[in-house]
Amino acid sequence: MPPATSAPPEPARTRGEGQWKLGHREPLNPNERTKRDDDGLNVRVRIETIYARGGFDSIDPSDLRGRFRWWGLYTQRRPGIDGGRTAALDPEELDDRYFMLRVRIDGGALSTEQLRAVGEISETYARDTADVTDRQNIQYHWIRVEDVPAIWQHLEGVGLSTTEACGDTPRVVLGSPLPGVSAAERLDATPAIQAIRERYIGSPEFSNLPRKFKTAISWHQDVAHEVNDVSFVGVVHPEHGPGFDVWVGGGLSTNPKIAQRLGAWVPLDEVPEVWAGIVAVFRDYGYRRLRHRARIKFLVADWGAARFREVLEREYLGQPLIDGPAPDVPAGPVDHIGVHKQVDGRNYVGVAPASGRVSGSTLIGLAKAVEAARSRRVRLTPQQKIVVLDVADDQVGQLLDELAALGLSADPSPWRRTTMACTGIEFCKLAIVETKERAIRLVGELERRLADLHPDVPVSIHLNGCPNACARTQTADIGLKGQIVTDADGNRVEGFQVHLGGGLGLDAGFGRKLRGLKVTSAELGDYIERVVRRFVAQREPAERFAQ
Ligand code: SF4
């Protein structure tokens, strides 16, 4: 007699989706072939022994455009190629001889020693570039392959790495910037994040996933858990107490999906094991045939949460999970900006660099200012912001002055506070338009144009250089997706498709893409001013933008 719970039936697409567990082992696209031929993690030794000595021209193309990502390295975009040509050119024509390098910072947690090292590397090897990403990483540009071993040595000397910062791997784990300091927190998720990092990151067990895999673990709902591949969100079980509610299958890009709850409650010490089970389901059942259908959100959409949970419990955990309640949804977005009390009586101070752009010298200055305030702990946030922890009352004033001198305001304008931007055409090979510097200029413009307005609800503005939505286009109040548009004189120019009314939390959902609503980059300030003024003028009491 076969067991009552035999292998799950295949989804409707019976041609085979490249699921290992169903016997579809044959690599079905070039990325799968590259991973089969050699584990991405193995490229490190070639970088250290061959490529760093031989320079850019010595790099094997399958390493350059494939396995380098397993160590956080992408070639950056060759300067001078306009966005209209992005899709038409071969990768070699877009490749610069320099790299973007992403430093993995799980939970966004940095000591001042680590922060200083990150800044020194930027000054020495990255032309002083450093962007805080919305995945709590630091991203450098202008990196030469010759310098990569020295950079790794410097990072690893302070306990940081670039391991699996990119590639088809478990990427950086998002975590609350306030672990252990917030009065509202019932459980600090840091031990689970550390255990995942120590046990599974850099392990061949999960170094060949069908696609990238994004994780968020936080008591607070401050990590965009609705749009991660897997999330663990704090919740109190009526019998078992504080633990975590599990969500799977969220993601943005061209097929956005809000994650689904498994309806399961997991105690803190079991989070790493359940996380590993979910990653293994994805590794074994994920769709490897077509790259654009390989994220876990497609599997979850086809299976549904109940079947996903059943396979996880039966085949990977060997026991049922405990049913659990949904967490309450916070009343508004959580960004940790400003000066706030910690549970121990000290303070945390959240500051807003414009669209996450800082520099190595700014980070070194930040480390000095934080140490002068007798703190040692800094956190990066999933909103491209920075939080300083553990500041005594008598140190707050001096720290605020020093942060402001670095361009890091704890009392930013509403526009600086809520604007995010992806990397864009300055460095990203997929980009169609410029985003980062444009967002910084836009913030200044809105501060001038809207100086008379003081909206008491945030209006978030996210600029993305292409449909990939790295800065979460679809979950912004005003989401801007870069494309080439036609201006009033018939010229093809950089611009944006507008998505209105997206959000997370209470307003979790995707902005409406208004057919035909496209603005040129030059019109962006005019357009946003019009939209915001109309919202403020017509708003009902307590109405949010996304309602
Ligand atoms: Fe690059 Fe597009 Fe992502 Fe922006 S959204 S960083 S342009 S891939």
Side-chain angles (χ1 to χ4, degrees):
M1 282 276 291
T5 51
S6 54
E10 289 193 41
R13 295 174 191 81
T14 51
R15 195 147 65 94
E17 294 278 5
Q19 295 166 279
W20 280 0
K21 194 86 177 206
L22 301 184
H24 304 148
R25 277 269 170 179
E26 185 56 32
L28 294 160
N29 64 53
N31 299 77
E32 287 300 315
R33 266 200 298 281
T34 299
K35 290 185 284 182
R36 178 201 59 188
D37 291 347
D38 191 24
D39 191 320
L41 292 170
N42 293 341
V43 79
R44 176 166 176 146
V45 72
R46 291 195 285 280
I47 292 173
E48 290 175 321
T49 59
I50 302 172
Y51 304 144
R53 293 179 190 164
F56 187 86
D57 292 329
S58 70
I59 304 171
D60 182 288
S62 65
D63 284 343
L64 182 68
R65 298 196 186 86
R67 301 182 193 94
F68 266 46
R69 296 173 189 189
W70 271 243
W71 291 94
L73 287 154
Y74 279 89
T75 46
Q76 66 187 38
R77 184 188 188 91
R78 195 151 55 82
I81 301 174
D82 70 67
R85 296 167 63 210
T86 295
L89 295 176
D90 289 334
E92 307 92 76
E93 295 176 271
L94 285 163
D95 276 336
D96 201 353
R97 298 169 72 83
Y98 295 93
F99 293 86
M100 178 277 283
L101 178 62
R102 196 174 285 161
V103 183
R104 177 188 190 108
I105 303 173
D106 294 276
L110 288 169
S111 65
T112 48
E113 180 194 22
Q114 291 171 325
L115 184 64
R116 185 175 284 105
V118 168
E120 287 167 354
I121 290 167
S122 165
E123 286 191 331
T124 308
Y125 302 109
R127 302 189 187 179
D128 208 22
T129 58
D131 289 332
V132 178
T133 76
D134 61 5
R135 296 205 64 79
Q136 297 176 291
N137 296 304
I138 288 284
Q139 199 159 292
Y140 297 126
H141 300 283
W142 301 111
I143 299 291
R144 300 160 66 239
V145 70
E146 290 89 336
D147 297 327
V148 171
I151 293 170
W152 282 335
Q153 194 177 19
H154 200 155
L155 286 173
E156 288 163 7
V158 294
L160 293 173
S161 81
T162 67
T163 314
E164 296 181 341
C166 309
D168 295 349
T169 64
R171 307 277 186 95
V172 66
V173 179
L174 297 190
S176 174
L178 308 180
V181 305
S182 157
E185 182 186 75
R186 298 286 301 276
L187 273 180
D188 176 356
T190 305
I193 295 173
Q194 283 175 344
I196 287 169
R197 186 186 161 110
E198 283 161 18
R199 288 184 214 163
Y200 302 110
I201 303 309
S203 157
E205 188 177 356
F206 295 137
S207 63
N208 180 356
L209 301 179
R211 199 72 168 75
K212 61 184 160 188
F213 188 81
K214 298 181 175 181
T215 302
I217 307 175
S218 174
W219 181 267
H220 298 290
Q221 295 175 39
D222 53 0
V223 288
H225 66 275
E226 301 97 328
V227 292
N228 276 265
D229 294 291
V230 63
S231 298
F232 294 80
V233 182
V235 69
V236 178
H237 192 287
E239 291 165 40
H240 302 289
F244 291 89
D245 186 45
V246 189
W247 299 53
V248 293
L252 294 175
S253 197
T254 46
N255 274 290
K257 303 265 187 257
I258 293 290
Q260 299 186 38
R261 291 184 56 240
L262 292 187
W265 175 91
V266 177
L268 175 62
D269 60 353
E270 293 179 18
V271 167
E273 181 194 346
V274 174
W275 176 88
I278 291 169
V279 183
V281 173
F282 177 48
R283 178 194 61 203
D284 299 344
Y285 284 105
Y287 301 159
R288 292 172 186 261
R289 185 170 69 88
L290 298 173
R291 189 102 180 127
H292 67 269
R293 278 182 46 79
R295 293 285 296 273
I296 196 175
K297 63 187 176 184
F298 294 99
L299 179 69
V300 173
D302 284 348
W303 278 11
R307 180 170 167 202
F308 190 97
R309 177 173 166 178
E310 182 204 332
V311 172
L312 171 68
E313 291 171 337
R314 177 164 39 81
E315 297 183 24
Y316 292 87
L317 302 179
Q319 60 181 4
L321 294 163
I322 297 170
D323 289 341
D328 293 333
V329 181
V334 190
D335 69 0
H336 310 307
I337 295 297
V339 181
H340 305 273
K341 273 288 168 209
Q342 297 185 178
V343 70
D344 63 2
R346 292 182 291 177
N347 303 277
Y348 65 87
V349 179
V351 295
S355 69
R357 175 138 288 179
V358 285
S359 65
S361 39
T362 300
L363 296 179
I364 292 169
L366 175 62
K368 279 186 202 151
V370 173
E371 287 176 354
R374 300 201 302 271
S375 168
R376 291 287 183 277
R377 297 202 294 165
V378 171
R379 297 289 181 267
L380 310 180
T381 86
Q383 290 77 34
Q384 300 182 330
K385 306 295 185 291
I386 300 172
V387 180
V388 181
L389 302 181
D390 307 336
V391 186
D393 287 346
D394 63 353
Q395 299 296 319
V396 169
Q398 174 74 20
L399 177 65
L400 289 177
D401 289 346
E402 292 188 19
L403 294 176
L406 292 166
L408 301 172
S409 170
D411 184 21
S413 71
W415 320 111
R416 175 177 282 246
R417 185 167 179 163
T418 58
T419 299
M420 297 206 309
C422 75
T423 301
I425 208 166
E426 186 182 7
F427 297 115
C428 176
K429 288 182 294 184
L430 302 178
I432 300 165
V433 306
E434 215 271 307
T435 51
K436 210 72 162 172
E437 292 298 327
R438 175 158 292 130
I440 293 168
R441 289 196 302 276
L442 178 66
V443 165
E445 198 179 334
L446 294 177
E447 286 171 347
R448 285 192 303 280
R449 284 170 175 261
L450 299 171
D452 58 314
L453 279 194
H454 304 283
D456 57 3
V457 290
V459 178
S460 55
I461 302 166
H462 296 187
L463 286 83
N464 291 260
C466 81
N468 280 334
C470 294
R472 305 199 289 265
T473 326
Q474 297 102 326
T475 59
D477 291 313
I478 303 174
L480 298 163
K481 181 177 77 184
Q483 57 183 229
I484 300 297
V485 301
T486 305
D487 71 9
D489 299 324
N491 302 311
R492 303 285 286 158
V493 296
E494 289 195 8
F496 296 88
Q497 163 74 53
V498 179
H499 298 241
L500 286 181
L504 298 173
L506 280 180
D507 299 310
F510 304 125
R512 276 173 303 132
K513 177 175 153 184
L514 302 182
R515 190 173 293 280
L517 184 41
K518 297 175 182 180
V519 290
T520 67
S521 294
E523 296 165 339
L524 212 46
D526 283 344
Y527 173 73
I528 293 175
E529 179 178 2
R530 266 199 319 275
V531 170
V532 172
R533 285 197 183 279
R534 197 176 323 141
F535 166 63
V536 171
Q538 298 176 358
R539 176 174 174 245
E540 301 288 336
E543 183 184 357
R544 299 181 303 278
F545 190 93
Q547 283 179 300

